[in-house]
Amino acid sequence: MTVTEPIGLGPIHCLLPGELVPTGDLPEAPDLDTAGRDFLSGCGIDTVGVIEESAGALAARATTEFVHTHPGDVDVLLHVGARAPDVLLGSDVCRAQAEAGLTNAFSFTVDGLGCTGSSAAWGLAADLLRADPGRQRVLITHASRPTGVDRVRPPVTVTGDGAYAMTVERAGSPLLRAHRVETDGTFHDLFRVDYKDSPWYEWREECTSPDRYRFELAMHSNRRLGRLVEEVLADAGAPRSAVATVLMQNVTASAFDFYEELLQLPVHPVCRDNLARYGHLGAMDVVLNLRDLLDRNEVAPGGLVLVLNNSPVAAWAATLWEV
């Protein structure tokens, strides 16, 4: 997708935990096997945040706080689905709409894309604005909570808690210059939680093939993201040298090393900082990293920020923002 009219970001509100727990103090840490302990000590995550609220409650709170701080009409409320909804047959997004008082917004959820959901959501938000000149602002919200009790997820990451609300709007800044997203359905069953036959406190995330995750999916991600980067640069008519910095989701420290070598572009240190402090926040990672980068005012006006996102569903996204 090449963006031809000025659509960009509005405010970003992140709801982060006040309590940070060292990963070695997590309840499941003493029960990890040798491989799990090695993973935990080497993943680059020192602490994770804990917020004792459900994902639906967190998303609703982030949305409500955003609306109170940044009042104004919202045309669409777009919820990036949590790992597990609070209720079946209910609606977390409509809960957020009701609690935030967004009576005139049309609300729906983007789901099934894992971490890449936030990137898909801001691309979809831009499409919705271009499709209807009467729309001015799309609000996106998401909350990160573990699926069950365990936060340590070898061989993937360690999950923390948080939530965000942000807008994509006309004449926003940074400007959305180019965006592409892709999926590969052959990886749809790589991770699973058998939830129907057990209570929630027994839910455990299962990787059906760790080798497939480490090698086959990594090879796919290598090819896909490498190509997507070239395509969004071509869409924007920008050379690689115009990229001021790169952001991506926070999974493990080794993932940053992998993609830096792949792309020959440095990942901004804010990603490693947030990984070490908060752990993996699902689809919130790239939003938190982008907010913190913008708050630092390190990128000069006109500079391009490349945001990469991927998930083991599998889905991949590349977005160019112009500061």
Side-chain angles (χ1 to χ4, degrees), residues 69-156:
T69 307
H70 308 284
D73 292 337
V74 171
D75 300 292
V76 178
L77 174 62
L78 204 166
H79 175 244
V80 179
R83 294 177 179 87
D86 279 7
V87 294
L88 298 177
L89 295 181
S91 175
D92 287 347
V93 66
C94 287
R95 173 182 179 175
Q97 178 187 17
E99 293 191 14
L102 297 173
T103 55
N104 295 322
F106 172 66
S107 303
F108 67 101
T109 296
V110 174
D111 203 2
L113 297 176
C115 309
T116 311
S118 287
S119 298
W122 60 44
L124 178 58
D127 289 341
L128 291 170
L129 292 174
R130 286 196 301 275
D132 184 348
R135 296 187 183 116
Q136 300 296 318
R137 191 161 71 147
V138 177
L139 196 156
I140 304 170
T141 189
H142 170 72
S144 169
R145 287 277 292 158
T147 305
V149 175
D150 292 349
R151 294 178 180 275
V152 184
R153 301 165 53 201
V156 185

Side-chain angles (χ1 to χ4, degrees), residues 198-210:
S198 58
W200 69 270
Y201 50 82
E202 294 181 1
W203 290 359
R204 296 295 183 272
E205 180 180 299
E206 176 188 357
C207 179
T208 58
S209 174

Side-chain angles (χ1 to χ4, degrees), residues 221-222 224-230 240 246-248 257-267 306 308:
S221 296
N222 185 322
R224 295 266 188 160
L225 284 177
R227 175 172 51 78
L228 287 173
V229 168
E230 297 303 322
R240 182 178 286 257
V246 177
L247 300 175
M248 58 180 293
D257 298 333
F258 176 82
Y259 286 108
E260 284 182 332
E261 183 176 353
L262 164 67
L263 300 171
Q264 295 299 299
L265 289 169
V267 175
L306 174 64
L308 305 179

Side-chain angles (χ1 to χ4, degrees), residues 116-199:
T116 311
S118 287
S119 298
W122 60 44
L124 178 58
D127 289 341
L128 291 170
L129 292 174
R130 286 196 301 275
D132 184 348
R135 296 187 183 116
Q136 300 296 318
R137 191 161 71 147
V138 177
L139 196 156
I140 304 170
T141 189
H142 170 72
S144 169
R145 287 277 292 158
T147 305
V149 175
D150 292 349
R151 294 178 180 275
V152 184
R153 301 165 53 201
V156 185
T157 190
V158 184
T159 299
D161 297 346
Y164 76 83
M166 59 176 284
T167 53
V168 174
E169 52 194 59
R170 298 188 188 279
S173 179
L175 179 70
L176 182 58
R177 285 286 303 276
H179 171 77
R180 289 192 179 231
V181 62
E182 294 182 356
T183 59
D184 184 343
T186 61
F187 291 94
H188 73 277
D189 58 351
L190 186 55
F191 289 86
R192 53 177 284 173
V193 175
D194 183 7
Y195 75 95
K196 286 191 174 181
D197 297 324
S198 58

